[in-house]
Amino acid sequence: MANCLQHKTFIVQQLYIIVLLGLFNCQKPVPKPTILDNCLSIEQVNLLTKMIRSFEDDLSKYYHFSKNEPEKTIKKYLNEIKTPMKNDSLILEIASPKSKELLQKSFTILSDDVWTTYQEEYGNMQDNIYILEEGDTLEAIIKDEQEALKRYKNKHLVRTNGKLVDCFYSKTSDESSKELFRLLMDSGAISPDIIINGILSLKTKISNSKEIEAYIALDLFYSPLDFNLK
């Protein structure tokens, strides 16, 4: 009788251990820390991670480069979008349906922490300072700005004074990258050509700076993609 009880006790203990192991194995793995931790919400970080990955996948597929060659792929993309006439059509060709879908989601989930609108950025034209070149007239410049505002007012730009860029600035350990983010924070809207040239002249590899890589995806891919989507 005693042996029987001992046997039953042993079986119960074994079952208990199996159940515990099963519960332990079912637990989700702890996510790896990212550059955006403590800057944005978990939902925002997850979406941004998906957006960056989709951007990289789109480039690799379009250029037929290996995913193990991010430096080569991103630099080729940056050099190509420096040509304004090619910029619009190129981005539309590269962007996958998945990237377009993630972009639309981001306007709600990321909102003011990452994005601002063209209206918000350029709507106060009375604050503008104009430098007229030969052949320019103030009236013509203002007319062009009004037409652009009407056309693009609801399109999205990266908010350079928002949480995201501030996070990139505080997180990066590379001094040249830090200078670039400081310039963006201080100057606001800067010509894409200047940003691209600044990125290409960085001492560090783009693929070694997750902050720069993320900024490229948002400001030089997703934002112009929004401007080109109807």
Side-chain angles (χ1 to χ4, degrees):
M1 184 70 176
N3 289 336
C4 182
L5 287 173
Q6 288 177 352
H7 181 66
K8 288 182 178 179
T9 302
F10 176 76
I11 292 174
V12 170
Q13 289 174 340
Q14 290 293 100
L15 288 172
Y16 181 69
I17 292 171
I18 291 171
V19 170
L20 285 178
L21 287 173
L23 289 173
F24 179 77
N25 290 331
C26 287
Q27 289 180 348
K28 293 182 179 179
V30 177
K32 294 180 180 179
T34 74
I35 56 171
L36 298 170
D37 284 353
N38 303 320
C39 294
L40 302 173
S41 71
I42 293 174
E43 183 183 27
Q44 289 174 320
V45 171
N46 288 340
L47 177 59
L48 275 170
T49 301
K50 290 178 183 178
M51 291 175 74
I52 294 165
R53 188 178 299 123
S54 184
F55 162 66
E56 293 171 345
D57 289 346
D58 287 354
L59 290 189
S60 295
K61 184 176 180 181
Y62 182 81
Y63 291 118
H64 304 289
F65 290 160
S66 167
K67 291 182 180 180
N68 297 323
E69 300 178 291
E71 187 78 10
K72 178 181 177 181
T73 307
I74 292 175
K75 281 189 173 181
K76 183 170 180 62
Y77 171 71
L78 291 178
N79 278 301
E80 288 201 351
I81 63 170
K82 285 169 63 177
T83 306
M85 294 297 291
K86 192 174 182 181
N87 187 325
D88 296 351
S89 59
L90 177 67
I91 290 173
L92 287 174
E93 287 176 25
I94 292 174
S96 63
K98 180 180 179 181
S99 288
K100 294 174 184 177
E101 180 183 350
L102 291 170
L103 173 64
Q104 295 302 319
K105 286 183 179 180
S106 75
F107 299 145
T108 301
I109 296 174
L110 303 181
S111 62
D112 292 346
D113 290 334
V114 174
W115 297 120
T116 184
T117 63
Y118 192 91
Q119 167 77 44
E120 186 177 357
E121 190 73 20
Y122 296 108
N124 297 321
M125 289 191 293
Q126 65 269 21
D127 297 332
N128 291 353
I129 298 174
Y130 299 97
I131 300 175
L132 300 181
E133 297 181 359
E134 187 176 353
D136 289 340
T137 65
L138 182 59
E139 292 76 14
I141 292 176
I142 292 176
K143 182 181 178 182
D144 288 344
E145 287 188 347
Q146 289 174 337
E147 290 177 354
L149 185 60
K150 183 178 180 180
R151 182 178 180 184
Y152 299 122
K153 64 179 181 179
N154 294 321
K155 297 299 183 179
H156 292 78
L157 302 162
V158 172
R159 185 182 292 276
T160 54
N161 62 347
K163 281 186 179 181
L164 183 74
V165 175
D166 182 67
C167 177
F168 288 161
Y169 173 76
S170 61
K171 293 276 187 177
T172 185
S173 58
D174 176 66
E175 284 303 317
S176 57
S177 299
K178 193 176 283 288
E179 288 178 12
L180 178 61
F181 289 126
R182 179 79 263 172
L183 176 65
L184 289 167
M185 293 165 69
D186 290 343
S187 304
I190 300 176
S191 167
D193 287 351
I194 295 175
I195 296 174
I196 291 170
N197 287 330
I199 291 172
L200 291 174
S201 64
L202 291 174
K203 295 177 182 178
T204 185
K205 285 187 175 181
I206 295 172
S207 54
N208 288 343
S209 174
K210 295 303 179 184
E211 297 88 356
I212 291 294
E213 203 168 354
Y215 187 81
I216 291 170
L218 290 166
D219 193 47
L220 299 173
F221 178 71
Y222 282 106
S223 176
L225 175 60
D226 182 39
F227 274 71
N228 285 285
L229 290 174
K230 294 181 180 179

